[in-house]
Amino acid sequence: MNNLLTTRLSLPFGMILAMLIIMGPVSAASSPTAVIYGVSVTPSFAPLGARVTATVTIHNLDTTNPLSTTVSLTDGGILVATSKQPLTVPAGGIASTQLQFKTATGPAHCYLASTSSGNTYSTGYCEAGSLLGGTAVALSTLAVITPYLALGAAAVGVFAVMALSRRRKN
């Protein structure tokens, strides 16, 4: 019985440790070395499953080092395209890539472009009539993962309360 209680109590503490490990590399204070400042998808308001082309433009803010990164694009939160070859952006320069894919949702679409380099703001674009009304918005990695971290913390709290309540019953 004592081993069972120890196992039940160690699960929430293991989850807390896992969350701390995941959160470790996240830094809210770091500034981006690159910015995705151009996302366009044609044709606009494409129906579900239509073949479209996205153009993503990246500006490397680091004036001394070039940037090599892959670009990913989601449609309504569903990953629809990732560049096959890394995009090289010269130091202080600009580079664009095109991604062809089939839409995963119906119109109006909300797209989010992100890069494999951890120090780049992701950029979202929603077609007119949606939440963002056709504007692009920069999102930090921390802003994107914060809801998931909060959900994980809530789950850890629930498991801890369950483990403690079972302990009191025994």
Side-chain angles (χ1 to χ4, degrees):
M1 185 65 167
N2 197 12
N3 284 341
L4 181 62
L5 182 60
T6 304
T7 303
R8 286 184 181 165
L9 286 177
S10 65
L11 178 64
F13 297 116
M15 292 178 76
I16 291 170
L17 180 61
M19 289 299 294
L20 290 174
I21 291 170
I22 291 169
M23 291 172 30
V26 176
S27 173
S30 65
S31 60
T33 57
V35 175
I36 299 173
Y37 73 91
V39 178
S40 64
V41 179
T42 55
S44 297
F45 296 95
L48 174 66
R51 185 162 291 283
V52 295
T53 301
T55 302
V56 179
T57 305
I58 300 173
H59 181 201
N60 186 357
L61 301 176
D62 186 342
T63 57
T64 56
N65 300 308
L67 172 71
S68 180
T69 186
T70 57
V71 178
S72 297
L73 194 73
T74 63
D75 178 8
I78 301 167
L79 181 65
V80 290
T82 301
S83 59
K84 292 177 178 44
Q85 298 291 331
L87 176 66
T88 301
V89 186
I94 297 171
S96 295
T97 188
Q98 288 191 331
L99 304 168
Q100 292 184 341
F101 61 94
K102 289 184 178 179
T103 58
T105 63
H109 300 276
C110 279
Y111 300 105
L112 180 69
S114 56
T115 65
S116 61
S117 60
N119 210 8
T120 302
Y121 281 128
S122 298
T123 298
Y125 177 80
C126 286
E127 295 172 333
S130 294
L131 179 65
L132 298 177
T135 59
V137 61
L139 301 170
S140 70
T141 303
L142 184 61
V144 172
I145 66 169
T146 297
Y148 300 107
L149 294 176
L151 182 62
V156 168
V158 168
F159 285 126
V161 168
M162 287 173 47
L164 290 174
S165 69
R166 287 185 182 178
R167 182 179 179 190
R168 285 187 202 131
K169 288 179 184 177
N170 293 333

